[in-house]
């Protein structure tokens, strides 16, 4: 049987419960995503990640850790990273003179690229020092000023500036040994509705979307290691949300843009994630639809709370449902998808926290963020 572990799940607390361990050992589970509830301090996070890797070294430990208001770990030494809008504003700011200590001259837009690289490096290095493998960043959405859920998470409105700063941030992640994830393909910034609670609809033409919102994905197709599609419907392209659309994922992202990395679904617990063709789906049906459309992995988040007391039924339902679907031939494991998942794992060991703190590269990067 072809191996493929497409499920990214979550856990309830600060340590692994017996139920968590059983779920994470299941061959269909390929990783987990951490949240603020899984954080107490660095020692606890590091111990948690070690216990996960001891259980299965191939599990992908991920987190939403972008900077600004989306940063899960903010205390006990973690650097408070700026929202990405701050980097975009730095690009747009008028040049200002630098002191002699900085070599003279003037700070200009390209200094924003150095700051973005520094943010990526610090973000990745601090997470990796605690055992986290991947952060779902950077946001490639354009800031039209209408989307509250995106807002200052975006670098800016100009897709060229977004692409340049995102590529710089990706370079910093790469220096830390971490992969990246561009989101939310082909663009969530134009719509006002929040897909956590609604099903946003973007009525623009394919030409308009490709020209603006999706342009960073084409320009960065050789730099991105993974992508997360939006839970948004673009009816002039497909009646299904992008994460359930083979047209978007296989036809456009992979076919036209040449992307070869991994594709994650966004969280299947979101309201916009389980409505398809006007019908509500079960978690299993939604996962199968996303996998068939071209996703390599699917996320189910915020379902494990109080798992040791019998919670987390949605996770168990999804694991059982996908197992049954595989046995019945309703879903086929994909070897290529499994390889894409494994390619996201760091290839080299990271320095521990104390070692990282005195590395010249790290200290230099902090100077750019301050």
């Amino acid at each position: 049987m072809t191996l493929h572990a497409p499920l990214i799940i979550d856990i309830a607390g600060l340590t692994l419960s017996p139920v968590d361990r059983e779920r994470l050992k299941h061959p269909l589970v390929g990783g987990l995503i951490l949240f603020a509830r899984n954080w107490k301090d660095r020692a606890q996070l590091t111990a948690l990640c070690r216990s996960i890797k001891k259980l299965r070294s191939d599990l992908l430990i991920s987190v939403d850790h972008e900077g600004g208001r989306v940063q899960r770990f903010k205390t006990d030494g973690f650097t408070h990273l700026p929202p990405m809008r701050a980097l975009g504003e730095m690009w747009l700011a008028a040049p200002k003179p630098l002191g002699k200590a900085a070599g003279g001259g003037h700070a200009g837009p390209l200094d924003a690229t150095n700051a973005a690289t520094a943010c990526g490096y610090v973000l990745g290095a601090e997470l990796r020092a605690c055992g986290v493998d991947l952060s779902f960043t950077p946001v490639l959405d354009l800031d039209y000023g209408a989307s509250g859920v995106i807002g200052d998470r975006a670098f800016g409105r100009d897709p060229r500036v977004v692409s340049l700063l995102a590529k710089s941030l990706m370079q910093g992640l790469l220096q830390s040994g971490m992969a990246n994830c561009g989101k939310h393909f082909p663009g969530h910034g134009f719509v006002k509705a929040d897909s956590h609670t609604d099903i946003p609809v973007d009525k623009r033409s394919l030409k308009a979307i490709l020209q603006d919102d999706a342009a960073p994905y084409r320009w960065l197709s050789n730099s991105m290691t993974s992508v997360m599609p939006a839970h948004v419907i673009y009816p002039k392209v497909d009646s299904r949300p992008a994460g359930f659309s083979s047209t978007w994922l296989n036809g456009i992202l992979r076919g036209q843009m040449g992307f070869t990395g991994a594709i994650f679904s966004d969280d299947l617990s979101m309201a916009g994630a389980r409505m398809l063709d006007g019908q509500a789906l079960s978690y299993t049906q939604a996962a199968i639809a996303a996998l068939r459309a071209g996703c390599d992995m699917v996320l189910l988040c915020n379902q494990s709370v109080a798992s040791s007391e019998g919670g987390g039924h949605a996770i168990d339902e999804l694991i059982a449902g996908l197992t049954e679907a595989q046995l019945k031939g309703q879903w086929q494991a994909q070897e290529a998808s499994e390889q894409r998942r494994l390619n996201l794992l760091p290839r080299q060991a990271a320095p521990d926290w104390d070692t990282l703190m005195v590395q010249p590269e790290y200290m230099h990067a902090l100077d750019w963020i301050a």
Side-chain angles (χ1 to χ4, degrees), residues 75 121 141:
T75 57
Y121 177 72
D141 300 311

Side-chain angles (χ1 to χ4, degrees), residues 154-185:
F155 290 101
R157 168 65 181 84
D158 189 332
R160 298 167 299 178
V161 175
V162 169
S163 299
L164 183 59
L165 294 178
K167 188 166 187 176
S168 299
L169 187 135
M170 290 176 184
Q171 176 64 23
L173 291 172
L174 179 65
Q175 290 172 355
S176 76
M178 181 174 283
N180 60 68
C181 182
K183 60 186 186 183
H184 306 82
F185 176 79

